[in-house]
Amino acid sequence: MLPVAALAAIARALEEDIGTGDHTTNSIVPDDAVMQGQFIAKQQGTVAGLDVARAAFRLFDERVTLVTRVDEGARVSEREVLATVSGPARAFLTVERTALNFLGRMSGIATLTRAFVDAVAGTRAVILDTRKTAPGLRIFDKLAVRRGGGQNHRMGLYDAMLIKDNHIDEAGSLAEAVRRARAAGTGLRIEVEARTLDDVRAALALEVTHILLDNMSAETMRNAVRLAGGRAALEASGNVTLERVRAIAETGVDYISVGALTHSADVFDVSLKRTGRGAAG
């Protein structure tokens, strides 16, 4: 079941598109008309967001029924039927674009995530997302990452502490930044960004349990793994591409964060094709 925050975001998306009403549909389509259709994949990839599409239809009109043909996170082929939808024709036509927008974006993110996950298969590395999400759509972007086989780094600024270079520069030193973070007493996980091996050594000396290796070469990351010796979880970040991710994973890092999962994924090509119509009984 989708969380309340997701349903609220879907409602905002519907309001954004519908406004005072779908005047085209309402003026042309009889109130008692019914319609059936199919969501069809127009490319191969990984599906995410069918439940979001269902919620969009049902928030507008509870009489709409959407039946999935594949599971969330499933790999699908071109021309495969993903779900069937039936109900009042006005609801079908009014909600169609919003449902497709969610499904296309989420499946695109899931498809790209799956490609990164497959690329590091057999290594210890876990693929993570970042906060580089579309404003207002983070809950869906991060859900899509999970359905593509990745994991979420953090949902926002509120559920983990990540001490980055600007924080360190402002505090005057890594040690002082960590001291202040711990003194806040939030109980949240503290992760430190390391720009050099000296930063890694300093973080380890402070007994920091999560270290982000920022834009390091593969050789430097291998040295960081040796330095850590399992005392801290290491996350590689910066300039991670599909071409480089395997080499990064083979350095022995625990996590690889990839901003591209949510800021550069192509929209998955999917359509909603009408398969029948009629009048309500």
Side-chain angles (χ1 to χ4, degrees):
M1 175 177 280
L2 294 170
V4 172
L7 295 176
I10 296 168
R12 288 194 298 271
L14 289 170
E15 182 180 7
E16 173 185 63
D17 197 34
I18 299 170
T20 60
D22 179 0
H23 301 299
T24 308
T25 295
N26 293 343
S27 63
I28 296 172
V29 179
D31 182 57
D32 63 347
V34 297
M35 194 171 285
Q36 298 85 41
Q38 296 178 331
F39 284 101
I40 301 173
K42 298 177 72 176
Q43 65 175 87
Q44 63 181 8
T46 299
V47 171
L50 289 169
D51 53 348
V52 178
R54 177 192 289 116
F57 279 111
R58 292 187 61 79
L59 280 173
F60 184 77
D61 192 325
E62 292 185 351
R63 294 174 294 174
V64 176
T65 299
L66 187 150
V67 179
T68 59
R69 296 285 189 87
V70 299
D71 294 331
E72 293 289 340
R75 299 176 193 258
V76 298
S77 57
E78 185 179 356
R79 293 189 295 275
E80 186 168 351
V81 176
L82 308 180
T84 59
V85 60
S86 59
R90 286 187 176 183
F92 185 107
L93 296 171
T94 298
V95 181
E96 174 184 12
R97 176 43 52 197
T98 299
L100 285 170
N101 285 347
F102 277 118
L103 184 57
R105 178 175 177 85
M106 291 182 67
S107 296
I109 291 171
T111 297
L112 183 58
T113 301
R114 178 63 64 186
F116 274 93
V117 170
D118 289 348
V120 303
T123 72
R124 67 185 298 165
V126 173
I127 298 297
L128 301 178
D129 56 21
T130 70
R131 287 168 44 242
K132 296 176 181 177
T133 55
L137 296 179
R138 180 169 297 172
I139 193 168
F140 306 109
D141 287 0
K142 285 182 171 283
L143 177 58
V145 167
R146 296 198 301 273
R147 289 176 175 175
Q151 294 183 17
N152 300 147
H153 183 272
R154 55 177 177 164
M155 287 303 294
L157 298 171
Y158 55 87
D159 58 349
M161 301 178 77
L162 175 53
I163 301 174
K164 304 187 76 173
D165 54 357
N166 287 332
H167 300 113
I168 296 168
D169 293 343
E170 176 63 25
S173 70
L174 176 60
E176 177 60 15
V178 171
R179 186 196 69 76
R180 293 181 188 180
R182 286 173 171 164
T186 64
L188 296 174
R189 184 189 80 230
I190 297 175
E191 183 173 6
V192 168
E193 182 178 275
R195 291 171 280 187
T196 66
L197 288 178
D198 283 341
D199 289 342
V200 175
R201 293 186 183 94
L204 291 170
L206 293 164
E207 298 183 343
V208 173
T209 58
H210 290 75
I211 303 173
L212 185 149
L213 309 178
D214 182 44
N215 281 292
M216 290 185 179
S217 67
E219 182 59 30
T220 303
M221 282 188 278
R222 278 190 288 271
N223 289 332
V225 170
R226 285 192 288 269
L227 273 175
R231 290 178 289 165
L234 300 182
E235 174 189 342
S237 181
N239 194 30
V240 179
T241 64
L242 269 175
E243 292 72 28
R244 293 187 66 235
V245 71
R246 180 76 190 188
I248 294 171
E250 288 175 347
T251 66
V253 296
D254 302 284
Y255 301 99
I256 304 173
S257 55
V258 188
L261 300 182
T262 52
H263 72 60
S264 295
D266 291 333
V267 173
F268 186 85
D269 197 359
V270 59
S271 63
L272 178 54
K273 297 294 186 183
R274 190 185 70 182
T275 58
R277 64 178 182 174

